[in-house]
Structures are given as structure tokens and as C-alpha cells.
């Protein structure tokens, strides 16, 4: 699926749209600076730890769960600034129209998963353990039906729109699991996910489980 086709459908008045989201009272509060403890508290309330899923390849994410992420960033991103190394982009105010996975990783995935889980064993003292983002969404293993190949720099709403269109074309429920590395891997322990032996990486294991691979292209292919 090409993101340009999704954008064309939106602009041409197509009936295609992602599922409307229900929002809670926090949706109506003003965006908070991500540097504040209040923001981190809101992030943890929105995405509390659900449970460890030991095998990374079973940490697929559903369209419905991705739409929860999209709804949260839509409410909060106006208080965020670009962290791009490009001096022409760095520091600009963000909006949903430019928000990509690098931004979501920086402002949502990384802070939400740092020390988010309980100690894994009685030997560990002190604070919590880092986890994968999917472990904030479910405690149950979600075997991937599709492995998603994509670029982190694409607009997050276009990415989710492409998955929504894919479910429509294939008559799939919104509970269909897609394996997306940013949400499946523990971003604080990538050396455990990307090993020297390619066959032992979380990517290869997820691809082996999936029915197929979905490649999402940007507007220029």
C-alpha cells in the first residue's frame, strides 16, 4: 500500500476513514510539556503496564491499539518540538500532520516504557524494569498475522491509515495483529533483539510466524 493513495482518498472525499476514537476527560485538558512530571504521569495513566510477553515475535500490535496511540499523540503533540538532527527542522512545533515514528518514539514509546514494569525476579532490587510498548497494551501474546516493513520517517497517521485500508481490503477485523518493530522490541535492550545471528533476531522470528509481509511506501514510493 502506498501512503500517497491513502492521502488521495482522503482529499477526494472517499468514505475511507479510521475508526472514530472514544476519549476520556484527559482528552480535553491542555497539552503538557513532555519535560514535566505531570506529562509522564498522564502518559503512564494512558498506557499502564499490562504484563510481560517474553517472546518478542509475539508482541504484534493491532490497528485498534495503534489508534489508541494516535488519539493520544493527537491530543499532546502540539506541546512537542522536533528533535531532528536537521537544523532546519529541529525545534519546530510538531503537529499530527508532520509527526513521525521518530517523534512518537522520543515522546511516547521511550518514556512510557522506561522502568514501567515490575521486577522480573526477586533478586532485582529497586525500581521497575524496562519493557516493550506492546506490554503496556496487553498482557497476552499476539502472534503476528502480518509483518510490517516501513520507514520510521513516514507520517504516523499515514502509516495507521495504510493499515486501516489494508484491513478493509482484506476484510480483516481491527484486532488483526501486525508486527511493528518500534512497538514490539524493547527499545532499551535492542542488543537482545538484534543479534549477531540474523536468524535469531526478533525480525526474522516474527516474519516466520506471519502470514505475509506488508510493505508501506511513502508518497514518492
Amino acid at each position: 500500500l502506498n501512503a500517497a493513495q491513502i492521502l488521495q482518498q482522503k482529499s477526494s472525499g472517499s468514505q475511507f476513514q479510521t475508526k472514530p476514537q472514544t476519549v476520556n476527560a484527559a482528552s480535553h485538558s491542555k497539552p503538557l510539556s513532555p519535560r514535566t512530571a505531570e506529562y509522564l504521569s498522564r502518559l503512564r495513566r494512558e498506557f499502564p503496564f499490562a504484563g510481560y510477553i517474553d517472546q518478542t515475535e509475539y508482541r504484534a500490535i493491532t490497528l485498534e491499539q495503534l489508534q489508541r496511540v494516535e488519539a493520544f499523540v493527537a491530543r499532546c503533540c502540539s506541546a512537542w518540538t522536533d528533535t531532528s538532527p536537521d537544523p532546519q527542522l529541529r525545534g519546530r512545533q510538531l503537529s499530527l500532520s508532520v509527526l513521525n515514528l521518530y517523534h512518537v518514539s522520543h515522546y511516547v514509546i521511550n518514556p512510557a516504557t522506561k522502568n514501567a514494569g515490575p521486577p522480573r525476579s526477586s533478586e532485582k532490587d529497586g525500581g521497575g524494569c524496562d519493557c516493550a510498548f506492546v506490554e503496556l497494551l496487553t498482557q497476552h501474546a499476539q502472534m503476528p498475522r502480518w509483518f510490517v516493513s516501513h520507514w520510521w520517517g513516514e507520517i504516523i497517521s499515514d502509516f495507521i491509515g495504510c493499515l486501516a485500508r489494508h484491513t478493509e481490503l482484506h476484510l480483516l477485523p481491527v484486532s488483526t495483529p501486525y508486527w511493528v518493530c518500534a512497538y514490539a522490541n524493547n527499545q532499551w535492550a535492542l542488543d537482545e533483539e538484534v543479534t549477531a545471528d540474523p536468524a535469531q533476531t526478533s525480525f526474522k522470528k516474527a516474519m516466520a510466524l506471519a502470514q505475509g509481509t506488508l510493505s508501506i511506501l511513502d508518497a514518492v514510493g
Side-chain angles (χ1 to χ4, degrees):
L1 283 174
N2 191 310
Q5 295 173 318
I6 301 300
L7 296 174
Q8 184 178 14
Q9 288 177 322
K10 291 179 180 178
S11 62
S12 63
S14 165
Q15 294 302 308
F16 164 72
Q17 58 182 5
T18 56
K19 181 181 178 181
Q21 296 299 298
T22 56
V23 296
N24 55 31
S27 308
H28 303 288
S29 29
K30 66 179 181 179
L32 296 169
S33 167
R35 298 180 180 85
T36 64
E38 189 179 354
Y39 170 77
L40 183 58
S41 177
R42 180 185 294 182
L43 185 61
R44 292 289 170 87
R45 287 196 307 270
E46 187 78 22
F47 302 108
F49 180 76
Y52 290 118
I53 302 169
D54 290 335
Q55 295 173 285
T56 308
E57 61 269 30
Y58 283 89
R59 297 183 201 143
I61 191 169
T62 69
L63 175 61
E64 194 168 35
Q65 290 166 342
L66 280 168
Q67 288 171 333
R68 278 186 58 195
V69 177
E70 184 180 29
F72 177 80
V73 300
R75 300 196 302 267
C76 297
C77 67
S78 63
W80 304 345
T81 55
D82 205 324
T83 56
S84 171
D86 184 339
Q88 293 186 331
L89 299 178
R90 189 173 184 86
R92 66 172 174 167
Q93 184 179 14
L94 294 174
S95 67
L96 200 59
S97 64
V98 299
L99 200 72
N100 61 41
L101 192 51
Y102 290 110
H103 303 132
V104 173
S105 179
H106 181 81
Y107 287 111
V108 179
I109 296 174
N110 286 352
T113 56
K114 185 64 177 174
N115 297 326
R120 288 179 177 272
S121 69
S122 57
E123 288 79 19
K124 181 174 176 63
D125 297 322
C129 293
D130 306 333
C131 67
F133 194 81
V134 166
E135 294 172 317
L136 307 181
L137 302 173
T138 181
Q139 62 180 319
H140 302 294
Q142 296 185 151
M143 188 175 81
R145 185 162 179 183
W146 294 89
F147 176 94
V148 182
S149 174
H150 70 110
W151 174 48
W152 277 42
E154 69 205 347
I155 306 303
I156 195 74
S157 58
D158 291 347
F159 173 81
I160 295 172
C162 285
L163 293 191
R165 183 58 175 156
H166 183 260
T167 63
E168 288 186 351
L169 291 173
H170 291 267
L171 304 178
L172 301 172
V174 293
S175 58
T176 300
Y178 293 85
W179 198 88
V180 184
C181 64
Y183 304 100
N185 288 331
N186 180 342
Q187 297 299 316
W188 301 100
L190 289 178
D191 56 333
E192 298 176 10
E193 315 283 14
V194 183
T195 60
D197 180 0
Q200 297 304 313
T201 64
S202 58
F203 295 82
K204 177 65 171 63
K205 292 177 180 179
M207 290 178 72
L209 289 172
Q211 169 185 315
T213 296
L214 173 61
S215 296
I216 298 181
L217 307 179
D218 61 20
V220 295

